[in-house]
Amino acid sequence: SRSAMDHQPKFFENLSGAGKAIAVLTSGGDAQGMNAAVRAVVRMGIYVNAKVYFIYEGYQGMVDGGDNIVEVSWESVSSILQVGGTVIGSARCKSFRTREGRLQAACNLVQRGITNLCVIGGDGSLTGANLFREEWSGLLEELAQKGKIDAEAVKKYAYLNIVGMVGSIDNDFCGTDMTIGTDSALHRIIEVVDAIMTTAQSHQRTFVLEVMGRHCGYLALVSALACGADWVFIPEYPPEEGWEDTMCVKLSENRARKKRLNIIIVAEGAIDCHNKPITSEKVKDLVVQRLGFDTRVTILGHVQRGGTPSAFDRILASRMGVEAVLALLEATPDTPACVVSLSGNQAVRLPLMECVQMTQEVQKAMDEGRFLEAVRLRGRSFENNLNTYKLLSHKKPDAELPKSNFNVAVLNVGAPAAGMNAAVRAAVRVGMTEGHKIFAVIDGFEGFARGKIKEISWGDVGGWTGQGGSILGTKRTLPAKYLEKIADQMRTNNINALMVIGGFEAYLGLLELSAAREKYDEFCVPMVMVPATVSNNVPGSDFSIGADTALNTITDTCDRIKQSASGTKRRVFIIETMGGYCGYLANMGALAAGADAAYIFEEQFDIRELQANVEHLTEKMKTSIQRGLVLRNENCNENYTTDFIYQLYSEEGKGVFDCRKNVLGHMQQGGAPSPFDRNFGTKISAKAMQWISKKLKETYRKGKVFANTDDSVCLLGMRRRNLVFQPVAELKSETDFVHRIPKEQWWLKLRPLMKILAKYKTSYDVSDSGQLEHVAMLPKEAETGAI
């Protein structure tokens, strides 16, 4: 759609970094995933023949120079992908705030010929970098006057290019949907909440949890959404006057409803509408004084910054690191300093100062008590989270609910996927808020045919967000052989709409039901599908619920296996992942775990490729990194099985390395859902239920619902930057039904990334990147898939 598409595609291998020097530093508070970004910058830089330098201890190291600025090699960044924090260190630096400090820093860089800086840090660090860039030519002239550098150097190194990546667990930077470290911090918070839930339920306790976020409530808000907290305090959205009463009434109502625990989440920067702090102690005292509930405070503190980065953060940081090097290679004296970030699922470049100004605007709005404005400035994803939280956490009294007289059935279809229950919970609660009666179908289409259907209420789905698997039960059975019986059940229970949460079978099921509309009027109702499958193989959506959790399982396992291989030395592991014919898990798992190769069905490979991989590993064993990791999708090739590849590697590697194999199997379908899957499941399902309400109103005529057009059977998916409803009939042409995968898959574009980071020569189409965009204040109706 963009004019760039009309030109010749732009290939990465045509960009050269020869003669350029890139330095990378981390600054400000540490965040998980910074190391993944450092690794990607170093390897990408070396790959394009640039020199790459580490600057240790942030700006302090740049000012101090000496052995704080070191040229690095490919192996320098081995084994850091799975380490939290930053291995090159970060320090608060007073001297860089002075002109003398920056003068010294410029001198240290010029002596090494460095004119390209990649800064990974928060908004303070990035603002500092921009000032440095603006002063650069003045600093060089001053250095020349003082005789510290010669006139030649002033000409040769006249410009400083800067690209920033935002590493901050608070997710407080405008213009980026997710900053590096946010997802990992959510993992830490959710692990704690899940652990506390079991003890709180045993004792009927109330827990007040304080999470980080001095000026930004993102972590508090999303963790409240992800664990179904009873109340949340954030700086952007202070509670109304008299909140003390409202909160206590809600907590006591919950107790009366036999809810055994209350969880209250407080951001460390929480305030009331008079800008007075609301502390976790204050909240605890309130609950104890007014209600006499046994209440405990837990302050999470630096736990949130710790631990290994999540799969999401590793992939995000690796994508950003590569994009940052591209941006530096393409920078001219006229390009403003930019930050690379993700918008939805799209890598973008934004002018650094526009983002910083916007971030400061939010703070200003909060200081001046313009809280609605603050929420709006935070961006669509934040606003979406807040609205969804408000919708799901507070049950209105029955008298206040509208009565729609519509019945909506919700069912799970296909294999279990973590996050399905969060989606069911959101559907039930939003449906009830819209005035519908919600019916839960047990065991998919098969259970539907057998009449396993019952009305489900608000309280029934409490505590479901954190549960793995499928509580309703799910089956792979398709509806075609039960059409008669399902139609009977729809008629008996007077079902006016269907919501199906599931994988490829759910998609096939909806196609079958819509084909049966000519014969059965019962199927002439609105139907919507929400994609949930670990394989992420549903057409019409970049992501499906459950894939992120599975990816984290794979990554965790690979980390352990790498550790075992590093100990033994000269060992190669071959790991088989799930996914049917879809290579998403194998490919993204390989990117997140730092694997040497990933065999997938979508990219055909032959014996020559296998041989090249063996030779590549043989070469690798001569370096200091004496271990190998290879992922194989279960159906990537019917003859080159996991056993075959294992035997081939064992034979060819004799005397150089030995081999082990590991089939991950069904552990990929289990486990507690990751924060991403809880949040994605909740938001996408709430949106689907709102669509059902809209369609029910549109298709209700003369006392009955009648919908038989294609646009009344939709799949809700995330496409690049937006959540879109697509008629399943239109998705047929995009589907390979034999292999149960979409014909085109976005993540294949990231495949060269994994190869580059594993030191393979490859071609990489980068036509998509390179457009500098602007930070937009979005109109109200631009509702997107920012998750």
Side-chain angles (χ1 to χ4, degrees), residues 63-93:
V63 176
D64 296 347
D67 52 12
N68 285 308
I69 307 177
V70 191
E71 189 178 348
V72 288
S73 69
W74 190 271
E75 278 112 65
S76 309
V77 289
S78 160
S79 304
I80 67 171
L81 187 62
Q82 62 270 33
V83 181
T86 161
V87 293
I88 56 177
S90 171
R92 306 248 174 244
C93 175

Side-chain angles (χ1 to χ4, degrees), residues 121-123 126 164-168 170-182 216 218 312 316 320 338-344 346-352 354-356 358-359 377-382 774-776 778 786-787:
D123 56 351
L126 298 178
M165 278 182 265
V166 191
S168 146
D170 295 341
N171 202 17
D172 54 359
F173 196 74
C174 292
T176 65
D177 278 350
M178 284 295 263
T179 56
I180 295 168
T182 306
C216 177
Y218 185 89
F312 182 94
L316 171 70
M320 297 298 93
C338 73
V339 280
V340 288
S341 86
L342 269 197
S343 168
Q346 180 76 20
V348 292
R349 295 181 196 171
L350 301 159
L352 190 148
E354 282 187 23
C355 297
V356 170
M358 183 91 139
T359 307
L377 288 166
R378 273 270 180 250
R380 296 177 292 195
S381 147
F382 191 90
H774 290 284
V775 184
L778 296 144
I787 297 304

Side-chain angles (χ1 to χ4, degrees), residues 215-269:
H215 307 295
C216 177
Y218 185 89
L219 289 177
L221 178 56
V222 175
S223 43
L225 196 55
C227 68
D230 297 271
W231 201 273
V232 65
F233 292 98
I234 58 172
E236 293 86 347
Y237 186 73
E240 292 163 7
E241 287 281 2
W243 59 269
E244 296 89 344
D245 302 330
T246 326
M247 183 180 84
C248 291
V249 166
K250 173 158 196 248
L251 296 179
S252 50
E253 274 177 4
N254 278 343
R255 280 292 157 94
R257 271 202 229 116
K258 298 282 190 292
K259 184 175 176 196
R260 291 186 64 89
L261 89 155
N262 299 121
I263 286 194
I264 300 165
I265 294 184
V266 184
E268 59 181 334

Side-chain angles (χ1 to χ4, degrees), residues 489-529:
Q489 289 299 330
M490 301 245 323
R491 193 168 53 250
T492 314
N493 295 289
N494 189 20
I495 300 295
N496 309 110
L498 273 190
M499 176 154 164
V500 185
I501 300 163
F504 204 85
E505 287 84 6
Y507 166 64
L508 294 176
L510 282 193
L511 285 171
E512 291 181 359
L513 290 180
S514 64
R517 278 174 161 181
E518 319 176 2
K519 200 169 167 196
Y520 302 97
D521 272 3
E522 289 83 356
F523 300 137
C524 294
V525 296
M527 303 186 213
V528 68
M529 169 185 165

